[in-house]
Amino acid sequence: MRSICSLIFHFLSFLYLPLFSVAQDGSITAPTSSAAAANYSCDATKCKLPDCNCASVNPPGGLSPSDVPMFLIYTADDAVQSYTIDAVNQFLAKRTNPNGCPVKMTYYTSLNYTNYTLVTDWYVAGNEIADHTMTHVGTPPADEVNGNLIALNALAGIPFSAIKGFRAPFLNFSLDTLRLLKQSDFTYDSSCSASIPVTDNGTDAFWPYTLDYGLANNCLAVPGACSGQPVIPGLWEFPMYALFDQRGEEGIHLMDPWLDTANGENTPDDAATLAYMKSTFTDHYKGNRQPFGLYTHPIHLATNYPGVAAPTSTIKMINQFLDWAQEQQDVWIVSNEQLLAWMQNPTPLSQLNDFAPFKCSTPHVTAKICNGMPENEAGLLSHCDFPDFPFFTCYGCPTVEVSPSNPNPPQQSVPGQALRTRLPANCSTPFWDPIAAQCLCTTSDCAFVDNSRPIGANNANLTGGGTDEDNGSSSASGASATNSFIPFNAGRTKMAGSWSMVLGIGMVGFVLGLAGTFGRL
C-alpha cells in the first residue's frame, strides 16, 4: 500500500511542478519608481508612531543608523509542503540571533497543494503565516484574499489576528487591492519593490511606512499610485528591497536572485550572485541600515523534491552568505511581524535585551493533543484524501475541497468520532485541544519558558549563531551548512495511514524552536 501511495504522490507532485517553475514571480527588470513619479509628501509633525510613519530612508524614531539593528528579512511564498519547509529549514534551522533565540521567518501562504497541518506546525514553531491568496492569482478579488484567511483559521488553526501581512502573487496588485487589505483588517502589505540602490540620492529604499500620505513605491508600475494616493491610514507597506550586481540599476534582482544571471552573463553563477548579495547587504549595513531581504520560492531550493536534482551549489552559496552576514555585528534575522513590532516601537541596540518580540518564549504543553507540536499529535491528525491533493489537519476534514467561494465547508462526519472543534478566539493554538474541545490555558500566566540569553554589555554576544553543529562560529566555506539542518519531516514515528509517511507528517524535532506569539488571540 505504501508503495502505491508513493507513486500516486509522485505523480501528483509532477503535475504541479510546472506551476511553481513557471510562477517564479517577483522578477523586475528596471526601476519601478522615481522621486518625480512618487511626488511624495508627508507631514512628520502629524504622522507619529506607532500608528503612522512617513516614508523615509532614515531609521524610525529619530535613531541614528549606528543605534539600530541590521535586519535581514527571510520570506517564502506559495504552498506549504514538507519539502518547501525543508528548503527553508536548511538555511535557518541552526541559526540564532544575538540573544540566542532561533531566527524566524514569514511564509506567504497560498492554499493550492498546501498541507494544513504543516502550516500549523510552522506557526506553532514561532514563524509568521501571511496571506498569498487561495489559488495564487494576481490583482486578487476579495474572495481570494479573505477566503485564505478563513481557510487558514479553520483548517490550520491560525488565529485571525495573527495573519497580519499580505503579498500579491506575481507582485501584481492595484490600489483596490490595498484598500481591500485595510477593509479586511490586515496590518501590512509587502508587494512593492524598492528598486533603486540605497546609495543613490533618489533611492526608493524606504524603511517600512504607512499609507496615510499615499504610496511612495511602484509609482511607475501601478496605475494611479503615488502623488498622495492611495490614502489608507494605518496600513503599512513593507518594501521588498532589490539587489544590484556590478551594473547598478541595470543589474537589478528581486525574488530568488540565484535564478538570475548576473553582470550581463548568459547563465546563473553562484559566485557572482554571492558577490552582489554581499555588496548590496554592505550598502544597507554601512548606510541607513534599511532592512535587507531574501525573498524566496522554496520549491526552487528543495533537496527532496521527487525527480528533481538538488541545487547543492546554490544551497551552499546561500548558507555561505548567511554565515557571513551573521558574522557582522548587530545583524538580526527576523520575520516581517517582528520588524513591524520594532517599527512601531523603535528600540535602540542597547535596549534589545528587554524587547519582548525578539525573545523566544515557548509554551509548556506535554498533553497528547493535536496542537501543532508534532511530538504531541502523532496518530491524532485527520487525513483528508481529496483527489487533487490530500492533506492532514488537526481540525477535521471538510466535506469538499476549499475554494474561494467556499473556504470553510462543513466538516466531514466520521462514524464513532465527534466532530473536531475549531480554534476559538479565546485560546491560542498550542493550548487548544480540538478533539476534547478544551483550552489547556485560560489565563495570561500559562507556562511559558523564556529561552533567550542576555545580549550583554561591552559588545558581548552581538553576532548571531551560524550553522555549525556546535552553534558557534560559522563555516568559512559554507560546506557544512548544507547538511547541518534537521529535515522537518525527519525523526518521525509511524502514524496511522501510509499517506502520513508520504507527505512527511509525523514526529519531528523543533528545528526553529517554539517561540513568540502564542499569547495573541
Side-chain angles (χ1 to χ4, degrees), residues 150 294 503:
I150 294 168
L294 289 182
L503 292 180

Side-chain angles (χ1 to χ4, degrees), residues 79-424:
V80 176
Q81 275 292 341
S82 60
Y83 42 83
T84 67
I85 293 294
D86 285 352
V88 174
N89 220 2
Q90 65 193 335
F91 304 116
L92 303 185
K94 289 283 185 175
R95 300 189 182 279
T96 58
N97 277 319
N99 62 352
C101 289
V103 304
K104 301 179 187 178
M105 55 80 67
T106 301
Y107 209 121
Y108 293 94
T109 309
S110 54
L111 299 185
N112 276 2
Y113 311 106
T114 277
N115 196 334
Y116 286 89
T117 195
L118 289 179
V119 180
T120 310
D121 294 350
W122 205 236
Y123 169 74
V124 171
N127 300 288
E128 180 185 10
I129 301 299
D131 193 321
H132 198 49
T133 75
M134 294 193 74
T135 66
H136 202 270
V137 294
T139 316
D143 59 356
E144 282 279 353
V145 176
N146 294 331
N148 196 293
L149 291 174
I150 294 168
L152 284 172
N153 175 260
L155 293 173
I158 312 300
F160 283 117
S161 61
I163 308 173
K164 298 179 178 180
F166 174 83
R167 176 171 292 160
F170 313 103
L171 306 185
N172 186 357
F173 68 96
S174 67
L175 300 194
D176 285 341
T177 306
L178 299 176
R179 296 185 182 104
L180 170 62
L181 298 181
K182 179 66 173 180
Q183 294 167 6
S184 300
D185 291 327
F186 283 88
T187 305
Y188 76 86
D189 169 71
S190 186
S191 305
C192 284
S193 57
S195 58
I196 303 173
V198 295
T199 51
D200 287 11
N201 289 332
T203 184
D204 59 351
F206 304 115
W207 281 82
Y209 60 96
T210 61
L211 300 187
D212 295 63
Y213 291 84
L215 199 62
N217 295 84
N218 278 50
C219 307
L220 301 175
V222 177
C226 304
S227 294
Q229 293 299 319
V231 177
I232 310 177
L235 182 69
W236 288 77
E237 181 59 46
F238 279 55
M240 300 171 66
Y241 303 96
L243 296 83
F244 301 89
D245 63 31
Q246 296 174 358
R247 297 169 294 170
E249 274 191 20
E250 295 182 359
I252 189 170
H253 310 272
L254 191 59
M255 301 196 77
D256 309 303
W258 33 85
L259 300 182
D260 297 345
T261 60
N263 307 320
E265 298 298 325
N266 295 322
T267 58
D269 182 326
D270 288 329
T273 302
L274 176 61
Y276 74 70
M277 287 168 64
K278 284 185 175 182
S279 65
T280 303
F281 181 93
T282 300
D283 289 340
H284 285 238
Y285 184 71
K286 291 186 175 181
N288 287 315
R289 292 202 173 178
Q290 296 98 319
F292 176 93
L294 289 182
Y295 314 112
T296 76
H297 294 88
I299 193 71
H300 299 301
L301 298 168
T303 61
N304 50 356
Y305 195 93
V308 178
T312 304
S313 173
T314 300
I315 291 167
K316 288 181 177 180
M317 181 274 292
I318 297 169
N319 265 318
Q320 186 177 354
F321 168 77
L322 291 169
D323 287 348
W324 170 84
Q326 286 200 286
E327 289 169 357
Q328 319 307 312
Q329 287 197 343
D330 306 323
V331 173
W332 292 70
I333 302 177
V334 297
S335 65
N336 271 330
E337 179 181 47
Q338 289 176 300
L339 176 58
L340 172 64
W342 189 88
M343 290 295 306
Q344 293 178 318
N345 180 24
T347 302
L349 288 165
S350 60
Q351 299 176 25
L352 285 182
N353 261 335
D354 300 319
F355 190 64
F358 288 2
K359 291 182 177 290
C360 42
S361 298
T362 64
H364 181 65
V365 181
T366 58
K368 298 301 180 183
I369 62 175
C370 207
N371 68 338
M373 295 181 176
E375 71 266 31
N376 294 341
E377 61 190 10
L380 300 177
L381 295 165
S382 296
H383 169 215
C384 308
D385 193 13
F386 291 108
D388 287 344
F389 203 85
F391 61 83
F392 284 86
T393 175
C394 282
Y395 300 95
C397 296
T399 53
V400 295
E401 293 183 74
V402 298
S403 65
S405 61
N406 191 11
N408 186 15
Q411 189 177 154
Q412 291 181 18
S413 177
V414 179
Q417 297 182 17
L419 294 179
R420 303 284 177 99
T421 305
R422 304 284 168 74
L423 179 76

Side-chain angles (χ1 to χ4, degrees), residues 45-58:
T45 65
K46 296 180 180 179
C47 186
K48 299 288 188 180
L49 293 170
D51 300 319
C52 183
N53 193 50
C54 294
S56 174
V57 298
N58 298 313

